Coordinates of all heavy atoms in Angstrom, one line a residue:
L1 N -12.8 0.7 6.3 CA -11.4 0.5 6.4 C -10.9 1.7 7.2 O -11.1 2.9 6.8 CB -10.8 0.5 5.0 CG -11.1 -0.7 4.1 CD1 -10.6 -0.5 2.7 CD2 -10.7 -2.0 4.6
T2 N -10.1 1.5 8.2 CA -9.6 2.5 9.1 C -8.2 2.8 8.7 O -7.4 1.9 8.3 CB -9.7 2.1 10.6 OG1 -8.9 0.9 10.8 CG2 -11.1 1.9 11.1
P3 N -7.7 4.1 8.9 CA -6.4 4.4 8.6 C -5.4 3.7 9.5 O -5.8 3.3 10.6 CB -6.3 5.9 8.9 CG -7.7 6.4 9.0 CD -8.5 5.2 9.3
Q4 N -4.2 3.4 9.0 CA -3.2 2.8 9.9 C -2.1 3.8 10.1 O -1.9 4.8 9.4 CB -2.6 1.6 9.1 CG -1.6 1.8 8.0 CD -1.1 0.5 7.5 OE1 -1.7 -0.4 7.2 NE2 0.2 0.4 7.5
P5 N -1.4 3.6 11.3 CA -0.4 4.6 11.7 C 0.7 4.6 10.6 O 1.0 3.7 9.9 CB 0.0 4.1 13.0 CG -0.4 2.8 13.2 CD -1.5 2.6 12.2
T6 N 1.5 5.7 10.6 CA 2.7 5.9 9.8 C 3.7 4.8 10.2 O 4.0 4.6 11.4 CB 3.3 7.2 10.0 OG1 2.3 8.3 9.5 CG2 4.6 7.4 9.1
Q7 N 4.3 4.2 9.2 CA 5.3 3.2 9.5 C 6.7 3.8 9.1 O 6.8 4.4 8.1 CB 5.1 1.9 8.6 CG 3.9 1.2 8.8 CD 3.8 0.0 8.0 OE1 4.6 -0.9 8.1 NE2 2.8 0.0 7.1
S8 N 7.6 3.4 9.9 CA 9.0 3.8 9.6 C 9.7 2.6 9.0 O 9.5 1.5 9.4 CB 9.8 4.2 10.8 OG 9.3 5.5 11.3
A9 N 10.5 2.8 7.9 CA 11.2 1.8 7.2 C 12.6 2.2 7.0 O 12.9 3.3 6.6 CB 10.5 1.4 5.9
L10 N 13.6 1.3 7.2 CA 14.9 1.5 6.9 C 15.2 1.5 5.4 O 14.6 0.7 4.7 CB 15.9 0.6 7.5 CG 16.0 0.7 9.1 CD1 16.9 -0.5 9.6 CD2 16.6 2.0 9.4
M11 N 16.1 2.3 4.9 CA 16.5 2.3 3.5 C 16.8 0.8 3.1 O 17.5 0.1 3.9 CB 17.7 3.2 3.2 CG 17.4 4.7 3.3 SD 16.8 5.4 1.8 CE 18.2 5.3 0.7
H12 N 16.4 0.4 1.9 CA 16.8 -0.9 1.4 C 16.1 -2.1 2.0 O 16.4 -3.2 1.8 CB 18.3 -1.1 1.2 CG 19.0 0.0 0.6 ND1 18.7 0.4 -0.7 CD2 19.9 0.9 1.1 CE1 19.5 1.4 -1.0 NE2 20.2 1.7 0.1
S13 N 15.2 -1.8 3.0 CA 14.4 -2.9 3.7 C 13.1 -3.1 2.9 O 12.8 -2.5 1.9 CB 14.1 -2.5 5.1 OG 13.2 -1.5 5.2
S14 N 12.2 -3.9 3.5 CA 10.9 -4.1 2.9 C 9.9 -3.7 3.9 O 10.1 -3.7 5.2 CB 10.7 -5.7 2.7 OG 11.6 -6.1 1.7
V15 N 8.7 -3.3 3.3 CA 7.6 -2.8 4.2 C 6.3 -3.3 3.6 O 6.2 -3.4 2.4 CB 7.7 -1.2 4.3 CG1 7.4 -0.6 3.1 CG2 6.7 -0.7 5.4
E16 N 5.3 -3.5 4.4 CA 4.0 -3.9 4.0 C 3.0 -3.0 4.6 O 2.9 -2.7 5.8 CB 3.7 -5.3 4.4 CG 2.4 -5.8 3.9 CD 2.2 -7.4 4.0 OE1 2.9 -8.0 4.8 OE2 1.4 -7.9 3.3
I17 N 2.1 -2.4 3.7 CA 1.1 -1.5 4.1 C -0.2 -2.3 4.1 O -0.6 -3.0 3.1 CB 0.9 -0.3 3.2 CG1 2.3 0.3 2.9 CG2 -0.1 0.7 3.7 CD1 2.2 1.3 1.8
I18 N -0.9 -2.4 5.2 CA -2.2 -3.2 5.4 C -3.3 -2.5 4.8 O -3.7 -1.3 5.0 CB -2.3 -3.5 6.9 CG1 -1.1 -4.0 7.6 CG2 -3.6 -4.4 7.0 CD1 -0.6 -5.3 6.9
C19 N -4.1 -3.4 4.0 CA -5.4 -2.9 3.5 C -6.5 -3.9 3.9 O -7.4 -3.6 4.7 CB -5.4 -2.8 2.0 SG -7.0 -2.2 1.4
N20 N -6.3 -5.2 3.5 CA -7.1 -6.3 3.9 C -8.6 -6.1 3.9 O -9.3 -6.2 4.9 CB -6.6 -6.8 5.3 CG -6.9 -8.2 5.6 OD1 -7.1 -9.0 4.7 ND2 -7.0 -8.5 6.9
P21 N -9.1 -5.7 2.8 CA -10.6 -5.4 2.7 C -11.3 -6.7 2.6 O -10.9 -7.7 2.3 CB -10.7 -4.6 1.4 CG -9.7 -5.2 0.5 CD -8.4 -5.4 1.5
T22 N -12.6 -6.7 3.2 CA -13.5 -7.7 3.2 C -14.7 -7.3 2.5 O -15.1 -6.1 2.4 CB -13.7 -8.2 4.6 OG1 -14.3 -7.2 5.4 CG2 -12.5 -8.8 5.3
G23 N -15.5 -8.3 2.0 CA -16.8 -8.0 1.4 C -17.2 -9.1 0.5 O -16.4 -10.0 0.1
E24 N -18.4 -9.1 0.2 CA -19.0 -10.1 -0.7 C -19.9 -9.4 -1.7 O -20.9 -8.7 -1.2 CB -19.8 -11.1 0.1 CG -20.1 -12.4 -0.5 CD -18.8 -13.2 -1.0 OE1 -17.9 -13.3 -0.4 OE2 -18.9 -13.4 -2.3
P25 N -19.6 -9.4 -2.9 CA -18.5 -10.1 -3.6 C -17.2 -9.5 -3.2 O -17.1 -8.4 -2.8 CB -18.8 -9.9 -5.1 CG -19.7 -8.8 -5.2 CD -20.5 -8.6 -3.9
K26 N -16.1 -10.3 -3.4 CA -14.8 -10.0 -3.0 C -14.4 -8.6 -3.7 O -14.6 -8.5 -4.9 CB -13.8 -11.0 -3.4 CG -12.4 -10.7 -3.0 CD -11.5 -11.9 -3.3 CE -10.0 -11.5 -2.8 NZ -9.1 -12.5 -3.0
P27 N -14.0 -7.6 -2.9 CA -13.6 -6.3 -3.5 C -12.4 -6.4 -4.4 O -11.5 -7.2 -4.3 CB -13.3 -5.5 -2.3 CG -13.6 -6.2 -1.1 CD -13.8 -7.6 -1.5
V28 N -12.4 -5.5 -5.4 CA -11.2 -5.3 -6.3 C -10.4 -4.2 -5.5 O -11.0 -3.2 -5.1 CB -11.6 -4.7 -7.7 CG1 -10.4 -4.4 -8.5 CG2 -12.5 -5.9 -8.4
V29 N -9.1 -4.4 -5.4 CA -8.2 -3.4 -4.7 C -7.3 -2.8 -5.7 O -6.7 -3.4 -6.6 CB -7.3 -4.3 -3.7 CG1 -6.4 -3.3 -3.0 CG2 -8.2 -4.9 -2.6
R30 N -7.2 -1.4 -5.6 CA -6.3 -0.6 -6.3 C -5.6 0.3 -5.3 O -6.1 0.8 -4.3 CB -7.0 0.3 -7.3 CG -7.7 -0.5 -8.4 CD -8.4 0.2 -9.5 NE -8.4 1.6 -9.5 CZ -8.5 2.4 -10.5 NH1 -8.6 1.9 -11.7 NH2 -8.7 3.7 -10.4
W31 N -4.4 0.5 -5.6 CA -3.5 1.4 -4.7 C -3.0 2.7 -5.4 O -2.7 2.6 -6.6 CB -2.2 0.6 -4.3 CG -2.4 -0.4 -3.2 CD1 -2.8 -1.7 -3.3 CD2 -2.3 -0.1 -1.8 NE1 -2.9 -2.2 -2.0 CE2 -2.6 -1.3 -1.1 CE3 -2.0 1.0 -1.0 CZ2 -2.6 -1.3 0.3 CZ3 -2.0 1.0 0.3 CH2 -2.3 -0.2 1.0
R32 N -3.1 3.8 -4.7 CA -2.6 5.0 -5.2 C -1.4 5.6 -4.3 O -1.4 5.4 -3.1 CB -3.7 6.1 -5.2 CG -4.7 6.0 -6.3 CD -5.6 7.2 -6.5 NE -6.3 7.4 -5.2 CZ -6.5 8.7 -4.7 NH1 -5.8 9.7 -5.2 NH2 -7.2 8.8 -3.5
F33 N -0.5 6.3 -5.0 CA 0.5 7.0 -4.4 C 0.5 8.4 -5.0 O 0.8 8.5 -6.2 CB 1.9 6.3 -4.6 CG 3.0 7.0 -3.9 CD1 3.0 7.1 -2.5 CD2 4.1 7.6 -4.6 CE1 4.1 7.7 -1.8 CE2 5.1 8.2 -3.9 CZ 5.2 8.3 -2.6
G34 N 0.0 9.3 -4.2 CA -0.3 10.7 -4.9 C -1.4 10.5 -5.8 O -2.5 9.8 -5.5
A35 N -1.4 11.0 -7.0 CA -2.4 10.9 -8.0 C -2.2 9.6 -8.8 O -3.1 9.3 -9.7 CB -2.4 12.1 -8.9
A36 N -1.1 8.9 -8.7 CA -0.8 7.8 -9.6 C -1.3 6.5 -9.0 O -1.0 6.2 -7.8 CB 0.7 7.7 -9.8
Y37 N -2.0 5.7 -9.9 CA -2.4 4.3 -9.5 C -1.2 3.4 -9.7 O -0.4 3.5 -10.6 CB -3.6 3.8 -10.3 CG -4.8 4.4 -9.8 CD1 -5.4 5.4 -10.3 CD2 -5.5 3.8 -8.7 CE1 -6.6 6.0 -9.9 CE2 -6.6 4.3 -8.2 CZ -7.2 5.5 -8.7 OH -8.4 6.0 -8.3
L38 N -0.9 2.5 -8.7 CA 0.3 1.7 -8.7 C 0.0 0.3 -9.2 O -1.1 -0.3 -8.9 CB 0.8 1.6 -7.3 CG 1.3 2.9 -6.7 CD1 1.5 2.7 -5.2 CD2 2.4 3.6 -7.3
Q39 N 0.9 -0.3 -10.0 CA 0.7 -1.7 -10.5 C 1.5 -2.6 -9.5 O 2.3 -2.2 -8.7 CB 1.3 -1.8 -11.9 CG 0.6 -0.8 -12.9 CD -0.8 -1.0 -13.0 OE1 -1.3 -2.2 -13.2 NE2 -1.6 0.1 -13.0
S40 N 1.3 -3.9 -9.7 CA 2.1 -4.8 -9.0 C 3.2 -5.3 -10.0 O 3.0 -6.2 -10.7 CB 1.2 -6.1 -8.6 OG 1.8 -6.9 -7.7
K41 N 4.4 -4.7 -9.8 CA 5.5 -5.1 -10.6 C 6.8 -4.5 -10.0 O 6.7 -3.6 -9.2 CB 5.3 -4.5 -12.0 CG 5.3 -3.0 -12.1 CD 5.2 -2.6 -13.6 CE 5.2 -1.1 -13.7 NZ 5.0 -0.6 -15.1
G42 N 7.9 -5.2 -10.3 CA 9.2 -4.8 -9.7 C 9.2 -4.8 -8.3 O 8.9 -5.9 -7.7
R43 N 9.6 -3.7 -7.6 CA 9.6 -3.7 -6.2 C 8.3 -3.6 -5.5 O 8.2 -3.7 -4.3 CB 10.5 -2.5 -5.7 CG 11.9 -2.5 -6.2 CD 12.7 -1.2 -5.8 NE 12.0 0.1 -5.9 CZ 11.5 0.8 -5.0 NH1 11.7 0.5 -3.7 NH2 11.0 2.0 -5.3
F44 N 7.2 -3.4 -6.2 CA 5.9 -3.3 -5.7 C 5.0 -4.5 -5.9 O 4.9 -4.9 -7.1 CB 5.2 -2.1 -6.3 CG 6.1 -0.8 -6.1 CD1 7.0 -0.4 -7.1 CD2 6.0 0.0 -5.0 CE1 7.8 0.7 -6.9 CE2 6.8 1.1 -4.8 CZ 7.7 1.5 -5.8
H45 N 4.4 -5.0 -4.9 CA 3.6 -6.2 -5.0 C 2.3 -6.0 -4.3 O 2.3 -5.5 -3.1 CB 4.3 -7.4 -4.5 CG 3.6 -8.7 -4.6 ND1 3.3 -9.3 -5.8 CD2 3.0 -9.4 -3.6 CE1 2.5 -10.4 -5.5 NE2 2.3 -10.4 -4.2
I46 N 1.2 -6.4 -4.9 CA -0.1 -6.5 -4.2 C -0.4 -7.9 -3.8 O -0.5 -8.7 -4.8 CB -1.2 -5.8 -5.0 CG1 -0.9 -4.4 -5.3 CG2 -2.6 -5.9 -4.2 CD1 -1.9 -3.7 -6.2
S47 N -0.5 -8.2 -2.6 CA -0.7 -9.6 -2.2 C -2.3 -10.0 -2.4 O -3.1 -9.1 -2.6 CB -0.3 -9.9 -0.8 OG -1.0 -9.0 0.1
S48 N -2.6 -11.2 -2.2 CA -4.0 -11.7 -2.5 C -5.0 -11.1 -1.4 O -6.1 -11.0 -1.8 CB -4.1 -13.2 -2.5 OG -3.6 -13.7 -1.2
N49 N -4.4 -10.7 -0.3 CA -5.4 -10.1 0.7 C -5.5 -8.6 0.5 O -6.1 -7.8 1.3 CB -4.9 -10.4 2.1 CG -3.6 -9.8 2.4 OD1 -2.9 -9.2 1.7 ND2 -3.1 -10.2 3.7
G50 N -4.8 -8.0 -0.6 CA -4.9 -6.6 -0.9 C -3.8 -5.8 -0.2 O -3.8 -4.5 -0.6
N51 N -3.0 -6.3 0.5 CA -1.9 -5.5 1.1 C -0.8 -5.2 0.1 O -0.6 -5.9 -0.9 CB -1.2 -6.3 2.2 CG -2.2 -6.5 3.4 OD1 -3.2 -5.9 3.5 ND2 -1.8 -7.4 4.4
R52 N -0.1 -4.0 0.3 CA 0.9 -3.6 -0.6 C 2.3 -3.8 0.0 O 2.5 -3.4 1.2 CB 0.7 -2.1 -0.9 CG 1.8 -1.3 -1.5 CD 2.2 -1.7 -2.8 NE 1.2 -1.2 -3.8 CZ 1.4 -1.4 -5.1 NH1 2.5 -2.0 -5.5 NH2 0.4 -1.1 -5.9
R53 N 3.2 -4.5 -0.7 CA 4.5 -4.8 -0.1 C 5.5 -4.0 -1.1 O 5.4 -4.2 -2.3 CB 4.8 -6.3 -0.1 CG 6.1 -6.6 0.5 CD 6.2 -8.1 0.8 NE 7.4 -8.5 1.5 CZ 7.8 -8.2 2.7 NH1 7.0 -7.5 3.5 NH2 8.9 -8.5 3.2
I54 N 6.4 -3.4 -0.4 CA 7.5 -2.7 -1.2 C 8.8 -3.2 -0.7 O 9.1 -3.2 0.5 CB 7.4 -1.1 -1.0 CG1 6.0 -0.7 -1.3 CG2 8.5 -0.5 -1.8 CD1 5.8 0.8 -0.9
T55 N 9.6 -3.7 -1.6 CA 11.0 -4.2 -1.3 C 12.0 -3.1 -1.6 O 11.8 -2.3 -2.6 CB 11.3 -5.5 -2.0 OG1 11.2 -5.3 -3.4 CG2 10.3 -6.6 -1.5
N56 N 13.2 -3.2 -1.0 CA 14.3 -2.4 -1.3 C 13.8 -0.8 -1.3 O 14.1 -0.1 -2.3 CB 14.9 -2.7 -2.6 CG 16.3 -2.1 -2.8 OD1 17.0 -1.8 -1.8 ND2 16.8 -2.0 -4.0
V57 N 13.2 -0.4 -0.2 CA 12.6 0.9 -0.2 C 13.7 2.0 -0.3 O 14.8 1.8 0.1 CB 11.8 1.2 1.1 CG1 10.5 0.2 1.2 CG2 12.6 1.0 2.4
T58 N 13.3 3.1 -0.9 CA 14.1 4.3 -1.0 C 13.4 5.5 -0.5 O 12.2 5.4 -0.2 CB 14.5 4.5 -2.5 OG1 13.3 4.9 -3.2 CG2 15.1 3.3 -3.2
K59 N 14.1 6.6 -0.3 CA 13.5 7.9 0.2 C 12.3 8.2 -0.7 O 11.3 8.7 -0.1 CB 14.5 9.0 0.2 CG 15.4 9.0 1.4 CD 14.7 9.0 2.7 CE 15.0 10.3 3.5 NZ 14.4 10.3 4.8
S60 N 12.3 8.0 -1.9 CA 11.1 8.4 -2.8 C 9.9 7.6 -2.6 O 8.9 7.9 -3.0 CB 11.6 8.3 -4.3 OG 11.9 6.9 -4.6
D61 N 10.1 6.5 -1.8 CA 8.9 5.7 -1.4 C 8.1 6.3 -0.2 O 7.0 5.8 0.1 CB 9.2 4.2 -1.1 CG 9.9 3.5 -2.3 OD1 9.4 3.8 -3.4 OD2 10.7 2.7 -2.1
S62 N 8.8 7.2 0.5 CA 8.1 8.0 1.6 C 6.8 8.7 1.2 O 6.8 9.3 0.1 CB 9.0 9.0 2.3 OG 10.1 8.3 2.9
G63 N 5.8 8.6 2.0 CA 4.5 9.4 1.7 C 3.3 8.5 2.0 O 3.4 7.6 2.7
E64 N 2.2 9.0 1.5 CA 0.9 8.5 1.8 C 0.4 7.6 0.7 O 0.4 8.0 -0.5 CB -0.1 9.6 2.0 CG -1.5 9.2 2.4 CD -2.3 10.4 2.7 OE1 -3.0 10.9 1.8 OE2 -2.4 10.9 3.8
Y65 N 0.0 6.4 1.1 CA -0.5 5.4 0.1 C -2.0 5.2 0.4 O -2.4 5.2 1.6 CB 0.2 4.1 0.2 CG 1.6 4.1 -0.2 CD1 2.6 4.7 0.6 CD2 2.0 3.6 -1.5 CE1 3.9 4.8 0.1 CE2 3.3 3.7 -1.9 CZ 4.3 4.3 -1.2 OH 5.6 4.4 -1.5
I66 N -2.8 5.0 -0.6 CA -4.3 4.9 -0.4 C -4.7 3.6 -1.0 O -4.4 3.4 -2.3 CB -5.1 6.1 -1.0 CG1 -4.6 7.4 -0.4 CG2 -6.6 5.9 -0.8 CD1 -5.1 8.7 -1.0
C67 N -5.3 2.7 -0.3 CA -5.9 1.5 -0.8 C -7.4 1.8 -1.1 O -8.1 2.3 -0.2 CB -5.8 0.5 0.3 SG -6.7 -1.0 0.0
E68 N -7.8 1.5 -2.3 CA -9.2 1.7 -2.6 C -9.8 0.3 -3.0 O -9.2 -0.4 -3.8 CB -9.3 2.6 -3.9 CG -8.9 3.9 -3.7 CD -8.9 4.9 -4.9 OE1 -9.1 4.3 -6.0 OE2 -8.8 6.0 -4.7
A69 N -10.8 -0.1 -2.2 CA -11.5 -1.4 -2.4 C -12.9 -1.2 -2.9 O -13.6 -0.3 -2.2 CB -11.5 -2.2 -1.1
S70 N -13.3 -1.8 -3.9 CA -14.7 -1.6 -4.5 C -15.3 -3.0 -5.0 O -14.5 -3.8 -5.3 CB -14.7 -0.5 -5.5 OG -13.9 -1.0 -6.7
N71 N -16.6 -3.0 -4.8 CA -17.4 -4.1 -5.4 C -18.6 -3.6 -5.9 O -18.9 -2.3 -5.8 CB -17.5 -5.3 -4.4 CG -18.3 -5.1 -3.2 OD1 -19.0 -4.0 -3.1 ND2 -18.1 -5.9 -2.2
T72 N -19.6 -4.3 -6.2 CA -20.9 -3.9 -6.8 C -21.7 -3.2 -5.7 O -22.7 -2.4 -6.1 CB -21.7 -5.1 -7.4 OG1 -21.8 -6.1 -6.4 CG2 -21.0 -5.6 -8.6
L73 N -21.4 -3.4 -4.5 CA -22.2 -2.7 -3.4 C -21.6 -1.5 -2.9 O -22.3 -0.8 -2.1 CB -22.3 -3.8 -2.2 CG -22.9 -5.1 -2.6 CD1 -23.0 -6.0 -1.4 CD2 -24.4 -4.9 -3.1
G74 N -20.4 -1.1 -3.3 CA -19.9 0.2 -2.8 C -18.4 0.2 -2.9 O -17.7 -0.7 -3.4
K75 N -17.8 1.2 -2.2 CA -16.3 1.3 -2.2 C -15.9 1.9 -0.9 O -16.7 2.7 -0.2 CB -15.8 2.0 -3.4 CG -15.7 3.5 -3.4 CD -15.0 3.9 -4.7 CE -15.4 5.3 -5.0 NZ -14.7 5.8 -6.2
A76 N -14.7 1.6 -0.5 CA -14.1 2.2 0.7 C -12.7 2.4 0.5 O -12.1 1.8 -0.5 CB -14.3 1.2 1.9
S77 N -12.0 3.2 1.3 CA -10.5 3.4 1.1 C -9.8 3.5 2.5 O -10.5 3.7 3.5 CB -10.3 4.7 0.4 OG -10.7 5.9 1.2
R78 N -8.6 3.2 2.5 CA -7.7 3.3 3.7 C -6.4 3.9 3.4 O -5.9 3.6 2.3 CB -7.5 1.8 4.2 CG -6.7 1.7 5.4 CD -6.6 0.3 5.9 NE -6.0 0.4 7.3 CZ -5.8 -0.7 8.0 NH1 -6.3 -1.9 7.6 NH2 -5.3 -0.6 9.2
T79 N -5.9 4.7 4.2 CA -4.6 5.4 4.0 C -3.6 4.9 4.9 O -3.9 4.6 6.1 CB -4.9 6.9 4.4 OG1 -5.9 7.4 3.5 CG2 -3.6 7.7 4.0
G80 N -2.4 4.8 4.4 CA -1.2 4.3 5.2 C 0.0 5.2 4.7 O 0.1 5.5 3.5
S81 N 0.8 5.5 5.7 CA 2.0 6.3 5.3 C 3.3 5.6 5.7 O 3.3 4.8 6.6 CB 2.0 7.6 6.0 OG 0.9 8.4 5.6
I82 N 4.3 5.8 4.9 CA 5.6 5.3 5.1 C 6.6 6.4 5.3 O 6.6 7.4 4.4 CB 6.1 4.4 3.9 CG1 5.2 3.2 3.8 CG2 7.5 3.9 4.1 CD1 5.5 2.4 2.6
D83 N 7.5 6.3 6.2 CA 8.6 7.3 6.4 C 9.8 6.5 6.3 O 10.2 5.7 7.2 CB 8.4 8.0 7.8 CG 9.5 9.0 8.0 OD1 10.1 9.5 7.0 OD2 9.8 9.2 9.2
V84 N 10.6 6.7 5.2 CA 11.8 5.9 4.9 C 13.0 6.7 5.6 O 13.2 7.9 5.4 CB 12.1 5.7 3.5 CG1 13.4 5.0 3.2 CG2 11.0 5.0 2.8
V85 N 13.7 6.0 6.5 CA 14.8 6.7 7.2 C 16.1 6.0 6.8 O 16.2 4.9 6.3 CB 14.6 6.5 8.7 CG1 13.4 7.3 9.2 CG2 14.5 5.1 9.2
G86 N 17.2 6.7 7.0 CA 18.5 6.2 6.6 C 18.9 5.0 7.4 O 18.3 4.6 8.4
M87 N 20.0 4.3 6.9 CA 20.4 3.1 7.6 C 21.0 3.3 8.9 O 21.6 4.4 9.1 CB 21.4 2.3 6.6 CG 20.8 2.0 5.3 SD 21.7 0.9 4.3 CE 21.8 -0.6 5.3
L88 N 20.8 2.4 9.8 CA 21.4 2.6 11.1 C 22.9 2.2 11.2 O 23.3 1.5 10.4 CB 20.7 1.6 12.1 CG 19.2 2.0 12.4 CD1 18.6 0.9 13.3 CD2 19.1 3.3 13.0

């Protein structure tokens, strides 16, 4: 999994961070923001392809997100960053 470039997002918009891991058996995907593992609830959703979608973004959502994909054969990670900017 290769890192993706930093994405800019407007306050209160939605953003999707790409992970999209592949493997056989299908990998289990977990997302981290800092040291905390993130769940799929509220404004935060993990899609079936492993991507992370955040709705109604706020400044506190800015930062580095790490996608960790693992299966019985190994694990890999991918980093993506979000920079939340004020409304236009």
Side-chain angles (χ1 to χ4, degrees):
L1 300 172
T2 57
Q4 73 175 56
T6 298
Q7 296 182 64
S8 291
L10 289 175
M11 290 274 291
H12 309 298
S13 68
S14 296
V15 65
E16 186 167 16
I17 311 167
I18 306 301
C19 184
N20 204 20
T22 58
E24 201 52 54
K26 183 177 179 176
V28 172
V29 175
R30 294 183 357 154
W31 280 91
R32 280 191 303 132
F33 182 63
Y37 281 95
L38 303 171
Q39 303 299 314
S40 189
K41 64 181 180 181
R43 297 183 309 111
F44 303 93
H45 177 72
I46 300 173
S47 59
S48 60
N49 63 2
N51 294 345
R52 162 68 68 180
R53 183 164 183 76
I54 306 170
T55 58
N56 196 25
V57 296
T58 66
K59 281 298 242 181
S60 64
D61 296 323
S62 290
E64 185 174 89
Y65 291 79
I66 300 168
C67 167
E68 297 177 344
S70 62
N71 63 18
T72 55
L73 301 176
K75 84 175 157 175
S77 64
R78 179 178 191 171
T79 303
S81 296
I82 297 174
D83 181 24
V84 178
V85 295
M87 299 192 63
L88 294 177

